[in-house]
Amino acid sequence: LIEPFKNPSVGAVTGRAIFLSTNNIITSNLQLLIHSLHHELSFYFPKMSNIYAIKKGIVNKLPPKIINDDVYIPAEISKTHKIVYQPNSQILEIEDCGFLSYLKYRRRIAQGYIQLSKLGLKHSPSSFLLLKLLVRKLMKEPENFIYVVLAVFIEIYSHIMAFFDVQKGKLDYKWEKLV
């Protein structure tokens, strides 16, 4: 994570989160898909994972009750500095959760994206890039078609529900353990 900081225009370096499969086949495959897409996206649009380093003095404070700090931080940094993705810097993630907990988790993340939009931060890549990466994933792994379709429906559902949550002022600021 340290090497890219030799370039003064680099403000943050992020690594790759590797998901380890769990007992729940459906949520495990959805999580593997999401982590795989995050890896591919990070070459174009680096996002913070659970392993990153930030140059001192760039982000000194987070807004109160920010939901997706892992998205807020790079959005702020990218205003003035580059973010470098180092896929060889890795961290293992193990999350064992049921389907309903997974839905709640994705809904909370969608709330965070809406919150960031209201702050005027560019926080996500283009829909075209996402579609391109999904099609590429399906071409390489057609056996995962059902999980890609399910993930798309879950994301649509999560964003719709999050929209109504935000309208009602109901935001899940506190992370809960996935079960």
Side-chain angles (χ1 to χ4, degrees):
L1 289 177
I2 305 304
E3 184 72 24
F5 284 112
K6 289 180 180 176
N7 180 341
S9 67
V10 172
V13 182
T14 184
R16 182 177 183 187
I18 306 288
F19 180 76
L20 294 182
S21 201
T22 62
N23 295 328
N24 188 311
I25 293 171
I26 294 173
T27 56
S28 287
N29 280 301
L30 291 169
Q31 289 280 43
L32 286 168
L33 173 66
I34 295 288
H35 279 73
S36 173
L37 287 173
H38 282 179
H39 167 64
E40 295 296 324
L41 276 171
S42 291
F43 288 105
Y44 304 94
F45 198 88
K47 74 179 275 322
M48 299 306 196
S49 68
N50 289 338
I51 181 170
Y52 59 89
I54 301 172
K55 191 180 284 184
K56 186 177 180 179
I58 297 177
V59 178
N60 295 316
K61 189 176 180 184
L62 295 176
K65 296 187 176 182
I66 196 81
I67 295 174
N68 294 349
D69 59 344
D70 62 330
V71 181
Y72 173 83
I73 292 169
E76 279 297 309
I77 292 170
S78 65
K79 290 178 179 177
T80 58
H81 291 78
K82 288 185 195 173
I83 301 171
V84 175
Y85 179 54
Q86 293 285 84
N88 292 332
S89 297
Q90 300 174 349
I91 188 167
L92 298 177
E93 261 186 41
I94 302 171
E95 292 177 5
D96 189 9
C97 69
F99 190 72
L100 293 178
S101 287
Y102 182 78
L103 287 177
K104 185 175 182 181
Y105 166 71
R106 297 307 304 169
R107 183 173 175 173
R108 183 183 185 282
I109 290 171
Q111 289 175 355
Y113 286 135
I114 294 169
Q115 182 187 50
L116 292 172
S117 291
K118 289 181 176 246
L119 292 173
L121 293 175
K122 178 169 174 33
H123 57 78
S124 62
S126 71
S127 297
F128 176 76
L129 177 58
L130 287 171
L131 183 60
K132 176 180 148 182
L133 293 175
L134 277 174
V135 169
R136 186 184 303 160
K137 179 86 171 157
L138 282 172
M139 299 297 282
K140 285 195 300 190
E141 301 170 14
E143 67 276 9
N144 286 328
F145 175 78
I146 191 70
Y147 293 109
V148 170
V149 171
L150 183 57
V152 168
F153 279 114
I154 288 170
E155 291 304 304
I156 292 168
Y157 164 82
S158 298
H159 280 76
I160 290 169
M161 297 307 292
F163 173 80
F164 290 112
D165 292 340
V166 171
Q167 295 301 313
K168 295 177 193 171
K170 179 188 168 222
L171 297 177
D172 294 327
Y173 296 111
K174 184 179 174 190
W175 278 108
E176 292 180 16
K177 182 175 172 28
L178 297 176
V179 290

